[in-house]
Amino acid sequence: MPPFPMLRGRFLCTQSSTFFFNQSSGGRRRPQWPIKQVTKSNFSDSLDEIKNHISNSDFVAVSLQTTGSYSSPWHRVLPLDTPETAYLKAKYAAERFQILQFAVCPFNVRVSNKLTVNPFNFHLFQRDELKIGAPCYSFSCQPSYLAAMAREDFDFNVCIYDGISYLSRAQESEAKHQIGSSVSSAFVAQTSSSRSVADNVFVERIKSRVGHWISACKHSDTKTDDALVNSLRKLILGGDEYGSRPSLNIDVCSERQVQLVFEMVKSHYENVVPLTIAAKGGGTQSVRVVLTSSKEDRDLLEKDLKNMEEEQSKRIRGFREVIELISTSQKPVVAHNSLNDFTFIHSKFISPLPPTMDEFRNSLHSVFHDIRDINHLMKEVGPINKYTNLPSATSYLKRKFFAPVEIDIPQKASMEECKNHGHNVVRISELFARLCFILKLNPETVNQNPDGPLLKLDSNMFNLGSNGFQETDDISVWTHNPRKISINNLVFLWGFRSGISAGKLKNMLCKSHDVLSEDEVFDVRLVDKNCAVVVFWKNGLSEWFLDAIGSGSGDGLRELAAEGLMAAGYEAYKRVCKSEILGADLAASLAEIDRDHIEESAEVYWNSELMINFDDL
Amino acid sequence: MVRAFSRTLTLVQFYRPSRTAFSTASSSFAIKNVTKSNFDSSLADLRRHVRDSDFVAIDLEMTGVTSSPWRESFEFDRFDIRYLKVKDSAEKFAVVQFGVCPFRWDPTKQSFIAHPHNFYIFPRQEIGGDDSSYEFLCQTSSIDFLAKYQFDFNTCVKEGISYLSRAQEDDVRLQLHSAHEDEPSETPYAAKEFKDVPLVRMADILFVERMRNKISEWHDDLLQIRNGGSHRTQEDSNDSIDQFQTIFFKTRPAIKLNGFTSRQLRLIKSVVEKSFKDLAYIRVNVGLCFQQIIVYTNSRRELELLMNEVKESHFKEAEMKIEAAIGFRHVIDLLSSEQKLIVGHNCFLDVAHICRKFVGPLPSNLEEYVPLVQKNFPFIIDTKILLNASNILQLKMKKSSTSLAKAFAILCPHIASGVDSFGSAHNNSVAVEVQVDDMRSSNWNSGAKHEAGYDAFMTGCIFAQSCNHFGINFTSHSTLMKEDKLQNYINLLYLSWSSGDIVDLKTGQTRTESSSLNGFKNQQSKILFPNIVLIWGFPSKLKAREIKESLTKVFGLTSVTSIFHLDKTAVFVQFSKPGLVSDFLKLKSTIEKKKNDAIYVLHPFSDLLEGGCTGAACYEVYKEICGSPISKPLFADQAEAIAVNLNSKRLESMTHKTDSFSESESAIDTKTAETTSEILDLASC
């Protein structure tokens, strides 16, 4: 029971009602908020605008419109998923589908519950603008998603003809190599591992060479030699000029050596700036060190280089500039269904998704240090099961709580219905404001108080779906019985008649063995029409059951097994989630994995050590 | 429609200056665009046109062609692999536009009458099943290409005609029938099995009581009227008058339930079933939504009759829905059942798409696929084959490119230019009159290249013109497909145009085009597939030359015949002898086992194996890789993904299998088979 006053007060007549609710073509009511629609043509103008808004805001809400989210019913994140399998499923979707719209809404919440929002909706289409091979070779579409967008009058032509293109960080660095972007001072120094003997020899050699070159340069400054001597010196030292400053090229054989040169230069020579020179095909060809006359001169050079690089990358980055703005602003990012959205964001704008949840969390944290999930906050307020979509969550809060929020949209934008998309991002902001009010969180102080109550939610923001059987409404029986279950007690079952009900399946199992005929031993739920999951309420039974089905001990079970009934533990499910193709039918995928599993049984023991217990999480 | 209209406008402007006196404004009217809204009427017209036609030209626009760069056609692809690549494409991408253009010879006018149709189609799920089978892939470059030619994506998604393949239709039917049979909710006697709504909430209990009273009141009234009792006024129940509406359902008195929640309806249902023997709760379809009613019946027998009636009508409605969901497939069924000559341009992929989208899943090999095509489309002619194989046409084409637009411009200048000149009509040119609805023109040109309907029209014109050059008399022959002069070309399709691989749909035989005009194609005969080894995942700095060097250092200077890059991560290496394949694989795994020995560093292979991610396999593994549904952008990643899934057992059976393609390939060296365990030797990455 939430410790909040359950005021059934009428929602105060606020300004939000001044934005008219129009009867849209689909017959649904849709709020008419002026949301700035951004395409290729007005992108650069909007970029400055949103930059200001982001820096003036407390939070940034984001919401995506993608071409699909799951290929098959079981690909959705189910209550039986661990954070790991949930991540793998989200990763699978993020790698296949594409983002068509990205709504960003910097907003402020004031104590008076005045919500100031500046919603932008970016139309995206990733294409090969630099002609260096498509950054996105192909993507999947789910017709039902496209059809739903079409019903909302989404303009696919605008999106494809005028959508803003972009490159992820990883694609950008690759593209820079390919187009042979000449210089780059931003060499990301990795944590230096221990140096080998060869490394030390190399560093010493380069150090003395740079030292000689510097003294030679300084020496030549004082005396004016004739041209021949100068050119000879150039030839011997390998020196050159970078702009008006003297420079020296150092050939390198590997990225490791690049790193060594950078480290050496930075620690030994104060007024020398190292740059990487990319080879045509990729990789670094050489390092150029530029000598500056003073500390001021060095700063000047570094600034110049930085500006130059920024200009160039702005062209390459495209829409990712907005992501970078949000990232550098360090403002908390508010999302609904953050796991799905941020796997997409990571894979499209940062780099390919790492294989595990932990790596993903770390990598994402380095870009967005603070992510707030509306779904998670909703859980603090009450049972979330039924309020999975934004309008229903909002109306739930309106019904149950007194939380007036006044929405103010200072910007002007076209209210033309067919062109006005991206309302969810305003809904997210509104919901967040309401939740702050209900949870008595003061959004204004959040930023000053890093230990505020909101931050602690982050730690488990991706643990949605990990809390046993209480997430989605299709497992309604178990919502009455929200017990935490170890995944060791789950068994997947398939090979029964397609379309059979869970009840019938349970009956069948009850009759098959004495152990199973007792009350409260196990329960059955369908995952899809060909696969079910059995949960055993007692530890150890699942192993017995798997064994019994496998060996055919016990008459009833043997009969079922003979009829084609198959079973596998959670390990098989995890392996399916990890595989390249999840498969439309879970039963078929489990059977496939199970077959391979038998052939390489050595892995079973190794993996059983790594089993996750729900209770441990 | 808007696009087509604006296109017409611009064309009118464009062509106006060049028009001469006889031209009419009607010569550039819009093509017939068919979407959801005008599909039924267009289909009726099309049926007539196809029935009367001499041949039907088709063309398809897809959302993509290759799901990864290495799935493009390579010189080193065997026939079976070419098929796998086409199959992959047809399975993954969607067809978004389908051009159908029936051509009929009009002997009185001495001209063909063409009826170009441009169908927008979209794989929207209209009925049953799960969504996964409808998911499709888009190749970004293809979408860009469509956008370049102003393809209207909005029309496609919003107005596109959906379809069911025959296989999908069967599935949906099966689902429907099984659902129909065990629909327990419709028979009150089986209702015991159905879970009752537990009455846990006070509100529920009150509601149920109230409903019981209401219904029994109505029930009693009914009986009183029947028994000639006094008519009681119903005004006392005015509060729920709109919720309880008395109607007649199939001549029986009934209550129409309005404005209840689904939970309330479930409660009412259980009340009716428990407390009233002579009332039945049923659900009927009214238009698009369901309507719940309670019907009074005299006897049990009558109730059963009623239930059957309702069941029957549900069934009929479902059947109608399926019929509607078949959608665009009606056009394909029409083409198939009329057995007309189908004309396409380089249409092997198009035909594969048609089979995949409208018939069912594609078989796993070419041998089984060919009869499937034959069964559905017994006569197919490919204008690309025609242009390349016929000497007469080669002369006309003057060795220029045989792309559709180019061929159209060269062979049919009188149509392509949009300006009719009577001079050329005598000069061996076939007249083509275009009819769209009621508008006709003898020099029609919509100019919309890469629009399926117009492309189909161009293809048909090229075919008509080619027949004319062959000296075929359109008037005397009733069927073109029996024409002797076409027998050498009919049912031949390019498996891959670039390599000149041709498949004969009548026999299933494959051959490589023997045309001397294309010198580069002769190389094909030199490729010996058992001699090929596939290497991937080597350091990216290695190029073909370096790889060849390190191989020849070990196996001799003449050991490597050729090297071909699949992409930057993989190469085909053709050895001079098949034995070298297994020798190489054996040696590679030996070296990898002794990775830490000093000798490893000095071995010529050390460059190749640097990084420890280098994999190698024989040609059969390449087939396995191409047959996989996975499509990674880089070949090395793809090979790793497949190789991990592959187990040696399957591989062994694969290598023992004799090939039916040609003698030279069938005998995979016994030595190769012995070393199957090493064929798939992968270094752990």
Side-chain angles (χ1 to χ4, degrees), chain A residues 243-540:
Chain A
S244 56
R245 300 177 184 92
S247 73
L248 174 76
N249 281 355
I250 299 164
D251 285 334
V252 289
C253 306
S254 65
E255 294 296 315
R256 169 81 183 145
Q257 289 187 345
V258 178
Q259 194 193 341
L260 292 171
V261 173
F262 268 63
E263 280 172 13
M264 185 278 296
V265 168
K266 281 194 175 139
S267 56
H268 290 88
Y269 301 105
E270 199 191 1
N271 290 338
V272 175
V273 178
L275 307 168
T276 57
I277 302 207
K280 263 271 142 53
T284 308
Q285 194 182 29
S286 58
V287 176
R288 175 175 292 175
V289 287
V290 182
L291 182 66
T292 55
S293 54
S294 64
K295 197 171 179 306
E296 290 73 46
D297 190 36
R298 192 194 68 185
D299 291 345
L300 195 70
L301 176 67
E302 277 177 345
K303 211 175 134 199
D304 278 356
L305 285 169
K306 214 173 164 205
N307 283 343
M308 208 174 73
E309 271 169 40
E310 245 160 41
E311 255 336 283
Q312 191 200 23
S313 46
K314 216 174 214 173
R315 203 168 52 84
I316 298 174
R317 285 176 190 173
F319 172 73
R320 206 189 84 229
E321 200 62 42
V322 176
I323 302 293
E324 299 294 347
L325 283 176
I326 299 172
S327 171
T328 47
S329 76
Q330 306 240 326
K331 300 275 153 97
V333 182
V334 183
H336 176 253
N337 212 349
S338 58
L339 179 61
N340 281 339
D341 284 1
F342 281 93
T343 41
F344 266 98
I345 290 171
H346 192 287
S347 110
K348 308 294 174 199
F349 303 114
I350 301 167
S351 61
L353 287 165
T356 66
M357 176 77 176
D358 281 339
E359 288 169 76
F360 167 66
R361 212 193 308 244
N362 291 339
S363 169
L364 187 66
H365 191 78
S366 67
V367 184
F368 302 103
H369 79 119
D370 188 358
I371 296 168
R372 316 280 167 93
D373 192 304
I374 290 286
N375 263 344
H376 208 87
L377 284 172
M378 280 296 284
K379 240 189 267 177
E380 302 279 309
V381 173
I384 189 166
N385 314 359
K386 284 167 196 153
Y387 310 106
T388 45
N389 70 46
L390 288 167
S392 70
T394 311
S395 67
Y396 169 78
L397 291 187
K398 277 186 189 173
R399 249 191 355 260
K400 294 270 180 179
F401 302 97
F402 177 76
V405 166
E406 189 181 321
I407 303 175
D408 177 30
I409 308 182
Q411 70 186 13
K412 297 276 172 288
S414 163
M415 296 280 277
E416 214 179 317
E417 173 140 12
C418 62
K419 286 181 188 147
N420 202 1
H421 300 279
H423 286 96
N424 275 353
V425 82
V426 182
R427 289 200 185 99
I428 289 171
S429 316
E430 185 194 351
L431 210 50
F432 183 76
R434 276 181 207 283
L435 285 163
C436 283
F437 183 82
I438 294 162
L439 293 169
K440 302 221 181 309
L441 304 169
N442 188 351
E444 275 179 285
T445 59
V446 168
N447 287 327
Q448 288 114 51
N449 177 14
D451 300 322
L454 271 177
L455 277 179
K456 74 173 200 290
L457 300 173
D458 298 346
S459 56
N460 48 4
M461 69 169 212
F462 287 127
N463 291 357
L464 297 176
S466 62
N467 304 14
F469 295 84
Q470 40 181 325
E471 284 302 332
T472 60
D473 38 9
D474 47 344
I475 305 200
S476 53
V477 169
W478 285 342
T479 54
H480 297 307
N481 194 0
R483 285 193 231 171
K484 298 222 172 188
I485 305 148
S486 158
I487 52 171
N488 293 323
N489 292 340
L490 295 180
V491 167
F492 289 84
L493 216 56
W494 70 94
F496 46 81
R497 187 168 63 88
S498 169
I500 197 171
S501 75
K504 279 183 185 164
L505 202 59
K506 189 175 175 180
N507 264 337
M508 232 164 70
L509 289 172
C510 276
K511 285 180 206 144
S512 69
H513 200 279
D514 291 344
V515 177
L516 298 174
S517 61
E518 289 165 36
D519 281 349
E520 286 290 303
V521 173
F522 73 104
D523 206 352
V524 182
R525 286 292 117 186
L526 288 175
V527 181
D528 62 14
K529 65 179 194 290
N530 293 321
C531 188
V533 62
V534 182
V535 58
F536 291 95
W537 302 118
K538 273 184 227 158
N539 288 335

Side-chain angles (χ1 to χ4, degrees), chain B residues 7-42:
Chain B
R7 189 179 266 173
T8 312
L9 286 177
T10 54
L11 274 164
V12 168
Q13 283 169 351
F14 182 74
Y15 282 117
R16 189 159 287 155
S18 64
R19 287 270 166 72
T20 43
F22 59 81
S23 71
T24 57
S26 65
S27 57
S28 48
F29 44 79
I31 198 166
K32 174 99 177 166
N33 279 311
V34 186
T35 59
K36 252 193 319 197
S37 51
N38 63 345
F39 178 64
D40 288 337
S41 63
S42 305

Side-chain angles (χ1 to χ4, degrees), chain A residues 575 595-604, chain B residues 644-645 647:
Chain A
R575 290 160 66 102
R595 211 193 52 208
D596 295 346
H597 190 60
I598 292 162
E599 278 158 24
E600 32 178 311
S601 54
E603 247 176 293
V604 177
Chain B
V644 169
N645 292 341
N647 50 59

Side-chain angles (χ1 to χ4, degrees), chain B residues 305-449:
Chain B
L305 267 172
L306 177 72
M307 293 325 286
N308 281 339
E309 244 174 80
V310 170
K311 223 174 178 179
E312 206 54 35
S313 73
H314 277 193
F315 192 69
K316 264 194 198 128
E317 273 160 30
E319 280 289 331
M320 270 166 66
K321 263 192 197 161
I322 294 177
E323 202 60 26
I326 287 171
F328 183 75
R329 206 195 78 219
H330 283 301
V331 174
I332 302 301
D333 286 347
L334 171 67
L335 295 181
S336 174
S337 65
E338 289 291 330
Q339 307 239 320
K340 292 288 176 186
L341 179 65
I342 306 289
V343 180
H345 189 78
N346 203 7
C347 61
F348 189 76
L349 180 62
D350 290 355
V351 173
H353 267 290
I354 294 172
C355 289
R356 177 67 191 88
K357 301 290 182 307
F358 308 113
V359 179
L362 296 177
S364 58
N365 58 56
L366 188 61
E367 289 73 29
E368 288 168 53
Y369 170 71
V370 165
L372 179 82
V373 178
Q374 275 290 289
K375 205 180 105 206
N376 290 291
F377 305 101
F379 309 103
I380 301 175
I381 204 150
D382 190 331
T383 46
K384 190 106 178 168
I385 292 265
L386 219 54
L387 293 173
N388 284 291
S390 148
N391 291 333
I392 305 167
L393 297 180
Q394 277 289 330
L395 261 164
K396 288 272 168 199
M397 293 291 293
K398 300 185 184 83
K399 291 192 185 181
S400 95
S401 137
T402 50
S403 76
L404 183 61
K406 193 89 189 183
F408 182 63
I410 293 176
L411 289 180
C412 315
H414 54 299
I415 309 167
S417 63
V419 185
D420 195 6
S421 55
F422 286 107
S424 66
H426 299 294
N427 207 354
N428 255 340
S429 295
V430 180
V432 179
E433 190 176 300
V434 173
Q435 188 179 355
V436 173
D437 294 330
D438 294 330
M439 291 179 285
R440 278 178 170 229
S441 163
S442 54
N443 58 341
W444 180 79
N445 189 340
S446 92
K449 267 176 219 163

